[in-house]
Amino acid sequence: MSPMAPPLRKLALTAHVTASVGWLGAVLVFLALAIVGLTSPDAPTVRAVFVAMEPAAWYALVPLAGASLLTGLVQSLGTTWGLFRHYWVLFKLLINVGAIVVLLMYTRTLGHLAGVAAAPDPAPGSLRSPSVLIHAVLAVVLLLLATLLTVYKPRGRLRQ
């Protein structure tokens, strides 16, 4: 694919940055919700947190993650960076795909937790699993790593 014209390249970059920053922001909100869900002494608040997480994952995290992947592919294939020229671009792709796979698998857990939280009388402590917190922290770390790779663009090219 030949490099994009500058106006199109800037539009694609804007879309990629917007989707990626949005994804990171949504994950940070999930982290805040996980902390509230694990620490709040108020049972209705805890239940509300876990009921809200499932649709938030489907309507914010998954679309933003997908948009980040799609716009990143457009960026890499439509610019001189390429998809398989530099290690940092490939590592970002692997981080993105891996995070999306884990996110899609984890939506089942979020659905289960939402079902437990919506039940008329959930068992005490059934929503106090640190799983959501662990996943949110790991997602933040991975997305910040991808951001660092983007900003610093470490040297190193793949063999061609």
Side-chain angles (χ1 to χ4, degrees):
M1 182 176 207
S2 63
M4 292 183 276
L8 185 56
R9 187 186 76 242
K10 288 180 182 182
L11 179 63
L13 178 60
T14 301
H16 182 61
V17 169
T18 301
S20 299
V21 170
W23 186 15
L24 177 59
V27 169
L28 288 170
V29 169
F30 249 71
L31 177 59
L33 288 172
I35 292 168
V36 170
L38 289 173
T39 62
S40 177
D42 183 52
T45 298
V46 172
R47 291 174 69 181
V49 161
F50 286 99
V51 167
M53 283 182 145
E54 182 189 25
W58 283 112
Y59 293 111
L61 289 177
V62 171
L64 287 166
S68 176
L69 176 61
L70 181 63
T71 58
L73 288 171
V74 168
Q75 276 295 107
S76 66
L77 295 173
T79 65
T80 57
W81 290 111
L83 187 57
F84 297 110
R85 288 190 186 127
H86 300 272
Y87 285 107
W88 69 271
V89 176
L90 183 59
F91 288 156
K92 278 186 61 177
L93 175 65
L94 294 174
I95 288 169
N96 193 308
V97 170
I100 289 173
V101 167
V102 171
L103 171 61
L104 290 173
M105 291 182 345
Y106 196 66
T107 56
R108 294 187 69 184
T109 300
L110 292 173
H112 170 75
L113 292 170
V116 169
D121 192 20
S126 60
L127 296 173
R128 298 290 181 171
S129 168
S131 169
V132 177
L133 179 66
I134 292 167
H135 279 83
V137 167
L138 291 175
V140 168
V141 168
L142 286 174
L143 294 176
L144 288 176
L145 177 60
T147 302
L148 284 170
L149 288 170
T150 300
V151 171
Y152 287 97
K153 296 175 179 52
R155 291 182 186 253
R157 291 179 64 112
L158 297 166
R159 289 186 186 180
Q160 302 217 354

